Amino acid sequence: MSIQKTVTVDLGERSYDIVIGPGVLAQAGERIKAISPGARCAIVTDVNVNAAHGEALRASLDAVGIEHSTLEVEPGEQTKCMAVFEHVVGGLLDARLERRDLVLALGGGVVGDLAGFAASVTRRGMDFVQIPTSLLAQVDSSVGGKTGINAPQGKNLIGAFHQPRLVLADTDVLKTLSPREFRAGYAEVAKYGLIDRPDFFEWLERNRQKVFAFGPELVEAVAVSCQSKADVVARDELEGGLRALLNLGHTFGHALESATRYDGSRLVHGEGVAIGMALAHRFSNRLNLCSMDDVNRVEAHLRDAGLPVTIGEIPGDLPGPEKLLDYIAQDKKVSRGKLTFILTKGVGQSYIARDVPSSEVLQFLKEVT
Ligand code: NAD
């Protein structure tokens, strides 16, 4: 019995399916042929993912007679840069792909963002398929059409909105992901419960171990996460307002990533988000918005998942509260001393607050650093 699930991102004629579950990678060829008969494919992937799953994808394309080539990049955030982007676009042109041919992004969020952006500009926009292989990419970065690379001036500053034609999320490929990366991706899963799905958060509290054991609960957790993101994207594709809710925990999280200079040995993105979500609840409690029970509940769940929840858990020295506030202000627009934050009235009751005084944030940071 198949336990695969399909979630649709509803964007009119640009709508697309996210197929989730074990065995999806082996079906890639037939599913790709169904949406783009006759298309040729360029697989963009990184060295780690190519070694673990590249052959399975190529075999699936071969089985239905799809012509393909592979462009391999180095793993890691530094790959999301102009030089590698140029290399990928050059590779797509050298392979003589045409607009209706397909770029297949096989990898984590780094490959998805890079290959998606390359697809968005090559020949003024090529079709592409996301084949996310990290938990973070399956529940977050592969859905919603944000693509891009980093600039020397900051993360994700060069990019485009470009929706994929299809997302293929094989939960079995997550078995080769490092446990640390798996946990980091789980922070984003918990995030959807904390934004506006209290029932889902409660379900995660009961089923987290089964999710981590690759049971059918993992498929369910990825599907609910994708549905949550798809709902927000369908209502606010270009981040005019509502989509900002997806940034729960990211304001503090990004500041901590900047403060550790994106050194993944100290802090990976999902760990920053976990600490950020715990801090967002603590901060909301300090502003008398949510109860201490809510804070304790969120922290307990993230801790159970093996995630950090306090700034003190980040190894090595960190800058003081004033500098952390600077990082927050750089990340989020400050208007007359007021910051935009995602705050919460309790588990699953987050909202966008556009008028948080930076003095309050500074006071809070002094208490928690
Ligand atoms: P990543 O792509 O660097 O992957 C993490 C590591 O895991 C890499 O070393 C990779 O080679 C390895 N890996 C991935 N899948 C594997 C597998 N199945 N088996 C073995 N190894 C595997 O990082 P990530 O956490 O997936 O993504 C982070 C990136 O996503 C960041 O650049 C971030 O900006 C971006 N992002 C984008 C969006 C968006 O909406 N576009 C949203 C969130 C994050």
Side-chain angles (χ1 to χ4, degrees):
M1 191 186 70
S2 168
I3 54 161
Q4 292 181 1
K5 290 185 180 260
T6 300
V7 169
T8 301
V9 184
D10 191 359
L11 291 168
E13 59 186 22
R14 290 174 301 116
S15 296
Y16 55 94
D17 284 345
I18 308 164
V19 189
I20 302 151
V24 171
L25 187 61
Q27 303 163 349
E30 56 194 81
R31 289 188 183 277
I32 287 166
K33 197 169 180 174
I35 58 159
S36 285
R40 292 184 301 145
C41 295
I43 302 167
V44 180
T45 186
D46 76 20
V47 173
N48 297 337
V49 177
N50 199 20
H53 304 290
E55 277 319 313
L57 176 58
R58 284 183 282 272
S60 160
L61 299 175
D62 287 338
V64 294
I66 296 177
E67 267 183 63
H68 56 84
S69 54
T70 299
L71 276 163
E72 196 184 62
V73 298
E74 289 301 314
E77 187 67 31
Q78 67 285 357
T79 282
K80 268 176 58 174
C81 68
M82 201 47 101
V84 181
F85 171 70
E86 238 183 279
H87 168 73
V88 171
V89 171
L92 297 177
L93 295 174
D94 286 344
R96 299 190 183 281
L97 291 189
E98 297 178 9
R99 274 189 85 182
R100 294 293 155 216
D101 289 332
L102 285 167
V103 176
L104 309 184
L106 175 71
V110 164
V111 163
D113 280 10
L114 172 74
F117 183 42
S120 80
V121 294
T122 304
R123 298 192 184 273
R124 296 203 176 84
M126 291 181 61
D127 285 350
F128 87 116
V129 172
Q130 289 273 18
I131 309 179
T133 62
S134 69
L135 183 54
L136 178 130
Q138 294 195 351
V139 301
D140 190 358
S141 60
S142 67
V143 179
K146 272 198 197 175
T147 71
I149 57 173
N150 302 325
Q153 288 81 354
K155 214 170 125 74
N156 295 330
L157 292 182
I158 305 166
F161 283 96
H162 187 51
Q163 300 291 347
R165 295 277 317 278
L166 177 69
V167 181
L168 298 173
D170 188 327
T171 45
D172 269 352
V173 305
L174 302 177
K175 289 178 178 165
T176 56
L177 193 65
S178 75
R180 185 179 184 191
E181 292 290 354
F182 188 92
R183 290 195 295 270
Y186 183 79
E188 303 281 359
V189 174
K191 181 187 78 176
Y192 294 110
L194 294 174
I195 291 174
D196 61 358
R197 295 191 182 228
D199 295 351
F200 180 49
F201 190 76
E202 218 179 293
W203 182 89
L204 288 172
E205 288 177 312
R206 280 184 274 114
N207 291 285
R208 191 199 57 74
Q209 279 165 320
K210 293 179 191 151
V211 170
F212 274 62
F214 296 94
E217 292 79 4
L218 173 59
V219 180
E220 177 68 14
V222 173
V224 174
S225 301
C226 289
Q227 186 68 61
S228 308
K229 182 148 184 189
D231 287 351
V232 173
V233 168
R235 287 162 68 195
D236 178 19
E237 185 183 0
L238 304 180
E239 202 161 58
L242 183 74
R243 194 162 171 166
L245 276 176
L246 299 173
N247 289 333
L248 173 66
H250 284 61
T251 305
F252 288 119
H254 281 157
L256 295 171
E257 281 186 279
S258 299
T260 50
R261 299 189 186 286
Y262 297 96
D263 175 353
S265 66
R266 293 177 68 192
L267 189 75
V268 297
H269 175 73
E271 292 168 346
V273 170
I275 299 175
M277 291 192 300
L279 291 178
H281 282 75
R282 242 174 218 286
F283 187 41
S284 298
N285 171 257
R286 195 179 179 283
L287 299 172
N288 292 322
L289 294 165
C290 77
S291 73
M292 203 55 207
D293 281 352
D294 289 318
V295 177
N296 292 336
R297 196 174 150 199
V298 171
E299 289 193 356
H301 184 66
L302 296 173
R303 265 190 215 288
D304 281 350
L307 287 160
V309 293
T310 58
I311 294 177
E313 288 166 77
I314 302 171
D317 290 335
L318 280 174
E322 282 85 3
K323 186 69 195 163
L324 286 178
L325 183 66
D326 269 359
Y327 284 126
I328 289 175
Q330 272 168 29
D331 188 46
K332 299 285 144 204
K333 279 186 224 88
V334 193
S335 158
R336 297 179 192 184
K338 306 265 171 128
L339 291 161
T340 298
F341 255 87
I342 310 304
L343 297 177
T344 182
K345 294 179 182 155
V347 167
Q349 298 178 64
S350 299
Y351 68 99
I352 305 166
R354 299 195 189 279
D355 54 355
V356 179
S358 49
S359 55
E360 291 266 13
V361 182
L362 182 61
Q363 187 54 39
F364 175 69
L365 286 170
K366 285 180 178 165
E367 289 163 21
V368 294
T369 48

XYZ file of all heavy atoms in Angstrom, residues 46-50 52-53 74-77 80 107-113 130 132-138 140-148 150 155-156 170 172-178 181 184-185 188 191 229 243 250 254 257 268-270, ligand 1:
479
model
N 24.636 18.475 -5.599
C 25.954 18.670 -4.977
C 26.647 17.310 -4.807
O 26.033 16.246 -5.003
C 25.872 19.494 -3.688
C 25.337 18.757 -2.481
O 25.366 17.512 -2.475
O 24.896 19.425 -1.517
N 27.925 17.363 -4.476
C 28.755 16.158 -4.449
C 28.174 15.095 -3.515
O 28.087 13.920 -3.877
C 30.208 16.533 -4.015
C 31.062 15.287 -3.820
C 30.830 17.469 -5.042
N 27.736 15.510 -2.320
C 27.209 14.526 -1.353
C 25.940 13.859 -1.870
O 25.781 12.634 -1.792
C 26.808 15.210 -0.023
C 27.985 15.849 0.664
O 29.125 15.453 0.423
N 27.723 16.835 1.517
N 25.023 14.674 -2.363
C 23.729 14.142 -2.791
C 23.893 13.318 -4.062
O 23.257 12.268 -4.225
C 22.713 15.292 -2.986
C 21.385 14.760 -3.501
C 22.503 16.051 -1.674
N 24.789 13.761 -4.949
C 25.028 13.003 -6.176
C 25.531 11.602 -5.832
O 25.079 10.611 -6.397
C 26.030 13.744 -7.062
C 25.980 13.268 -8.504
O 24.989 12.673 -8.943
N 27.052 13.493 -9.234
N 25.012 9.931 -3.112
C 24.011 9.108 -2.426
C 22.796 8.780 -3.312
O 22.238 7.680 -3.214
C 23.545 9.816 -1.145
N 22.374 9.721 -4.159
C 21.077 9.540 -4.846
C 21.086 9.857 -6.339
O 20.056 9.698 -7.004
C 20.004 10.388 -4.148
C 19.895 10.085 -2.691
N 19.388 8.890 -2.222
C 20.283 10.784 -1.594
C 19.452 8.884 -0.892
N 19.992 10.018 -0.493
N 29.894 21.978 -5.381
C 30.368 21.630 -4.032
C 29.226 21.801 -3.033
O 28.383 22.679 -3.209
C 31.519 22.560 -3.620
C 32.825 22.308 -4.367
C 33.328 20.879 -4.174
O 33.325 20.399 -3.029
O 33.692 20.245 -5.182
N 29.193 20.980 -1.978
C 28.147 21.180 -0.967
C 28.450 22.421 -0.111
O 29.605 22.826 0.003
C 28.232 19.914 -0.102
C 29.564 19.316 -0.368
C 30.076 19.849 -1.677
N 27.420 23.000 0.475
C 27.627 24.081 1.445
C 27.124 25.429 0.964
O 26.973 25.677 -0.228
N 26.867 26.287 1.940
C 26.276 27.606 1.691
C 27.125 28.467 0.741
O 26.587 29.251 -0.035
C 26.102 28.314 3.054
C 25.357 29.615 3.039
C 23.868 29.487 2.685
O 23.235 28.453 2.984
O 23.340 30.443 2.092
N 26.221 29.013 -2.907
C 25.182 29.954 -3.370
C 25.838 31.304 -3.666
O 25.577 32.302 -2.995
C 24.106 30.112 -2.289
C 22.950 29.142 -2.450
C 21.943 29.228 -1.327
C 21.303 30.562 -1.090
N 20.248 30.519 -0.076
N 18.805 18.099 -4.374
C 19.661 18.418 -3.228
C 18.901 19.146 -2.142
O 17.671 19.205 -2.138
N 19.662 19.737 -1.231
C 19.084 20.511 -0.131
C 18.720 21.914 -0.611
O 18.644 22.182 -1.824
N 18.504 22.796 0.349
C 18.076 24.159 0.023
C 19.103 24.926 -0.790
O 18.747 25.793 -1.595
N 20.371 24.615 -0.604
C 21.416 25.325 -1.347
C 21.263 25.038 -2.845
O 21.200 25.953 -3.671
C 22.818 24.918 -0.836
C 23.906 25.314 -1.826
C 23.073 25.547 0.534
N 21.176 23.767 -3.188
C 21.030 23.384 -4.604
C 19.699 23.896 -5.153
O 19.632 24.419 -6.277
C 21.145 21.844 -4.754
C 20.598 21.388 -6.096
C 22.592 21.412 -4.580
N 18.631 23.788 -4.359
C 17.307 24.233 -4.818
C 17.298 25.723 -5.137
O 16.791 26.147 -6.178
N 17.875 26.525 -4.244
C 17.898 27.985 -4.448
C 18.755 28.356 -5.656
O 18.387 29.204 -6.474
C 18.471 28.684 -3.207
C 17.446 28.823 -2.089
O 16.362 28.214 -2.191
O 17.729 29.537 -1.105
N 11.810 20.616 -8.482
C 12.564 20.502 -7.228
C 12.518 19.046 -6.760
O 11.424 18.457 -6.663
C 11.910 21.373 -6.144
C 12.062 22.874 -6.330
C 13.352 23.406 -5.706
O 14.300 22.662 -5.424
N 13.393 24.709 -5.501
N 13.850 17.804 -3.532
C 14.525 18.150 -2.279
C 14.987 16.906 -1.508
O 14.234 15.942 -1.397
C 13.448 18.906 -1.506
C 12.142 18.401 -2.047
C 12.391 18.088 -3.492
N 16.200 16.963 -0.990
C 16.748 15.784 -0.310
C 17.074 16.023 1.158
O 17.495 15.102 1.846
C 18.034 15.300 -1.024
O 19.003 16.347 -0.945
C 17.765 14.935 -2.469
N 16.923 17.262 1.644
C 17.076 17.488 3.093
C 15.679 17.745 3.653
O 14.762 18.137 2.913
C 17.987 18.692 3.373
O 17.349 19.893 2.980
N 15.505 17.519 4.954
C 14.178 17.744 5.536
C 13.802 19.212 5.405
O 12.657 19.549 5.085
C 14.165 17.285 7.008
C 12.822 17.401 7.733
C 11.696 16.684 6.991
C 12.930 16.875 9.162
N 14.779 20.098 5.615
C 14.482 21.529 5.479
C 13.977 21.847 4.075
O 13.002 22.571 3.883
C 15.719 22.381 5.791
C 15.485 23.879 5.607
C 15.947 24.664 6.821
C 16.144 24.406 4.355
N 14.636 21.271 3.081
C 14.229 21.555 1.699
C 12.856 20.960 1.412
O 12.045 21.565 0.709
C 15.276 21.011 0.727
N 12.551 19.783 1.969
C 11.248 19.156 1.695
C 10.092 19.938 2.309
O 9.006 19.986 1.738
C 11.236 17.705 2.196
C 12.202 16.832 1.412
C 11.986 15.336 1.597
O 11.216 14.908 2.446
N 12.687 14.549 0.802
N 10.260 23.238 3.362
C 10.327 24.692 3.303
C 10.856 25.211 1.970
O 10.092 25.686 1.131
C 11.203 25.186 4.471
C 11.148 26.695 4.654
O 10.479 27.361 3.858
O 11.779 27.219 5.591
N 12.167 25.037 1.716
C 12.759 25.806 0.613
C 12.298 25.371 -0.775
O 12.315 26.174 -1.704
C 14.281 25.773 0.698
O 14.776 24.466 0.622
N 11.869 24.111 -0.941
C 11.484 23.670 -2.293
C 10.074 24.129 -2.674
O 9.672 24.033 -3.819
C 11.560 22.139 -2.395
O 10.572 21.553 -1.581
N 9.329 24.634 -1.692
C 7.938 25.027 -1.919
C 7.832 26.546 -1.890
O 8.349 27.183 -0.970
C 7.031 24.446 -0.807
C 5.581 24.858 -1.017
C 7.170 22.938 -0.747
N 7.201 27.128 -2.892
C 6.914 28.561 -2.788
C 7.619 29.443 -3.786
O 7.268 30.607 -3.940
N 8.641 28.908 -4.471
C 9.204 29.635 -5.599
C 10.239 30.700 -5.287
O 10.633 31.453 -6.171
N 10.701 30.783 -4.034
C 11.786 31.742 -3.787
C 13.095 31.082 -4.192
O 13.405 29.975 -3.732
C 11.863 32.078 -2.297
C 10.991 33.210 -1.865
C 11.520 33.690 -0.525
C 10.546 34.519 0.225
N 11.062 34.868 1.561
N 13.864 31.750 -5.049
C 15.145 31.199 -5.480
C 16.194 32.295 -5.349
O 15.847 33.476 -5.326
C 15.103 30.754 -6.955
O 15.052 31.919 -7.782
C 13.903 29.860 -7.254
N 17.456 31.922 -5.271
C 18.459 32.982 -5.211
C 19.807 32.536 -4.700
O 20.011 31.366 -4.351
N 23.557 34.245 -2.538
C 24.009 35.245 -1.577
C 24.890 36.294 -2.268
O 25.541 36.012 -3.276
C 24.817 34.575 -0.461
C 23.996 33.510 0.257
O 22.794 33.670 0.428
N 24.636 32.425 0.670
N 22.906 37.610 2.857
C 22.338 36.341 2.403
C 21.087 36.559 1.535
O 20.287 37.458 1.826
C 21.945 35.555 3.659
C 22.111 34.062 3.541
C 21.931 33.426 4.909
C 20.873 32.356 4.898
N 21.141 31.114 4.293
N 20.955 35.767 0.498
C 19.740 35.730 -0.336
C 19.367 37.087 -0.935
O 18.189 37.379 -1.141
C 18.531 35.226 0.478
C 18.713 33.790 0.912
O 19.377 33.003 0.237
N 18.139 33.439 2.045
N 11.019 12.603 -1.751
C 11.111 11.198 -1.340
C 11.620 11.146 0.099
O 12.781 11.492 0.366
C 12.061 10.453 -2.294
C 12.049 8.951 -2.042
O 11.870 8.533 -0.880
O 12.235 8.190 -3.016
N 12.382 8.684 1.885
C 13.445 7.692 2.121
C 14.841 8.276 1.909
O 15.803 7.798 2.512
C 13.259 6.478 1.205
C 12.404 5.412 1.874
O 12.093 5.569 3.082
O 12.043 4.432 1.196
N 14.966 9.286 1.048
C 16.316 9.839 0.815
C 16.831 10.549 2.065
O 18.038 10.763 2.227
C 16.407 10.793 -0.411
C 15.896 10.140 -1.677
C 15.735 12.122 -0.171
N 15.926 10.871 2.994
C 16.359 11.559 4.216
C 17.175 10.631 5.121
O 17.829 11.082 6.059
C 15.143 12.096 4.980
C 14.247 13.069 4.193
C 13.033 13.472 5.026
C 15.033 14.310 3.787
N 17.144 9.325 4.828
C 17.880 8.363 5.666
C 19.391 8.571 5.575
O 20.120 8.149 6.470
C 17.517 6.926 5.276
C 16.101 6.565 5.708
C 15.718 5.154 5.292
C 14.314 4.817 5.785
N 13.737 3.649 5.141
N 19.868 9.185 4.484
C 21.323 9.411 4.373
C 21.727 10.795 4.884
O 22.906 11.142 4.869
C 21.795 9.258 2.907
O 21.048 10.161 2.080
C 21.610 7.838 2.396
N 20.744 11.572 5.304
C 21.037 12.921 5.835
C 21.634 12.785 7.236
O 21.248 11.884 7.974
C 19.702 13.683 5.904
C 19.709 15.177 6.136
C 20.375 15.899 4.965
C 18.263 15.683 6.286
N 22.541 13.689 7.611
C 23.119 13.564 8.950
C 22.032 13.854 9.992
O 21.117 14.645 9.749
C 24.282 14.543 9.128
O 23.776 15.851 9.301
N 21.424 17.533 10.585
C 20.652 18.229 9.545
C 19.180 17.831 9.617
O 18.299 18.640 9.350
C 21.212 17.919 8.140
C 22.598 18.492 7.851
C 22.619 20.011 7.699
O 21.555 20.640 7.705
O 23.733 20.561 7.588
N 17.671 19.789 12.406
C 17.559 21.202 12.020
C 16.321 21.403 11.137
O 15.575 22.377 11.301
C 18.826 21.646 11.295
N 16.078 20.469 10.227
C 14.889 20.568 9.372
C 13.616 20.433 10.188
O 12.590 21.059 9.900
N 11.755 23.498 11.387
C 10.804 24.151 10.468
C 9.459 23.427 10.486
O 8.415 24.046 10.289
C 11.369 24.197 9.042
C 12.715 24.894 8.904
C 12.632 26.422 8.883
O 11.512 26.962 8.953
O 13.696 27.057 8.807
N 7.695 24.626 13.401
C 7.306 26.026 13.160
C 5.868 26.127 12.634
O 5.117 26.995 13.067
C 8.283 26.658 12.163
C 7.994 28.113 11.844
C 8.895 28.637 10.729
C 8.401 28.174 9.363
N 9.183 28.743 8.245
N 2.664 25.564 4.161
C 3.391 26.559 3.366
C 2.619 26.868 2.093
O 2.514 28.028 1.685
C 4.813 26.076 3.053
C 5.573 27.135 2.263
C 7.044 27.193 2.514
C 7.662 28.367 1.740
N 9.109 28.367 1.764
N 2.842 36.202 4.185
C 3.949 35.246 4.073
C 5.010 35.494 5.148
O 5.773 34.593 5.500
C 4.551 35.327 2.655
C 5.471 34.168 2.326
C 5.701 34.022 0.826
N 6.754 33.037 0.587
C 7.010 32.486 -0.592
N 6.316 32.815 -1.657
N 7.988 31.606 -0.730
N 12.719 33.466 12.902
C 13.815 33.757 11.980
C 14.501 35.087 12.278
O 15.634 35.288 11.878
C 13.318 33.728 10.530
C 13.112 32.332 10.021
N 12.207 31.466 10.605
C 13.697 31.640 9.013
C 12.241 30.303 9.960
N 13.136 30.380 8.997
N 18.213 34.559 12.432
C 19.152 35.132 11.456
C 20.220 35.958 12.154
O 21.380 35.954 11.749
C 18.408 36.017 10.453
C 17.719 35.230 9.383
N 16.652 35.713 8.675
C 17.948 33.990 8.893
C 16.250 34.805 7.800
N 17.013 33.745 7.920
N 22.722 33.592 13.356
C 23.537 33.072 12.244
C 24.574 34.109 11.819
O 25.724 33.772 11.563
C 22.645 32.736 11.042
C 21.898 31.422 11.150
C 21.149 31.102 9.858
O 20.050 31.642 9.658
O 21.689 30.326 9.049
N 23.694 25.653 12.670
C 23.089 25.545 11.338
C 21.722 26.257 11.387
O 21.177 26.499 12.468
C 22.965 24.085 10.821
C 24.335 23.448 10.657
C 22.081 23.235 11.716
N 21.214 26.574 10.199
C 20.028 27.431 10.105
C 18.877 26.963 11.016
O 18.334 27.759 11.795
C 19.584 27.492 8.633
C 18.318 28.244 8.411
N 18.260 29.625 8.506
C 17.055 27.830 8.109
C 17.016 30.010 8.268
N 16.272 28.934 8.015
N 18.539 25.681 10.944
C 17.399 25.179 11.719
C 17.630 25.311 13.224
O 16.672 25.519 13.983
P 22.153 22.246 2.268
O 21.532 22.300 0.947
O 23.497 22.865 2.451
O 22.172 20.740 2.774
C 22.769 20.439 4.013
C 23.852 19.379 3.861
O 23.236 18.122 3.717
C 24.747 19.535 2.627
O 26.056 19.173 2.992
C 24.178 18.547 1.624
O 25.159 18.059 0.734
C 23.708 17.446 2.551
N 22.580 16.659 2.073
C 21.382 17.106 1.612
N 20.567 16.074 1.394
C 21.244 14.956 1.713
C 20.924 13.568 1.729
N 19.704 13.128 1.417
N 21.883 12.709 2.095
C 23.119 13.121 2.453
N 23.472 14.421 2.505
C 22.544 15.318 2.130
O 21.220 22.957 3.390
P 19.655 22.946 3.668
O 19.534 23.014 5.131
O 18.974 21.884 2.928
O 19.197 24.331 3.023
C 19.697 25.559 3.495
C 19.530 26.593 2.417
O 18.135 26.735 2.117
C 20.009 27.978 2.813
O 20.824 28.489 1.788
C 18.734 28.799 2.943
O 18.923 30.163 2.603
C 17.835 28.113 1.967
N 16.409 28.305 2.227
C 15.625 28.738 1.211
C 14.266 28.908 1.408
C 13.407 29.325 0.250
O 12.203 29.608 0.453
N 13.929 29.372 -0.944
C 13.683 28.644 2.649
C 14.508 28.187 3.680
C 15.868 28.024 3.457
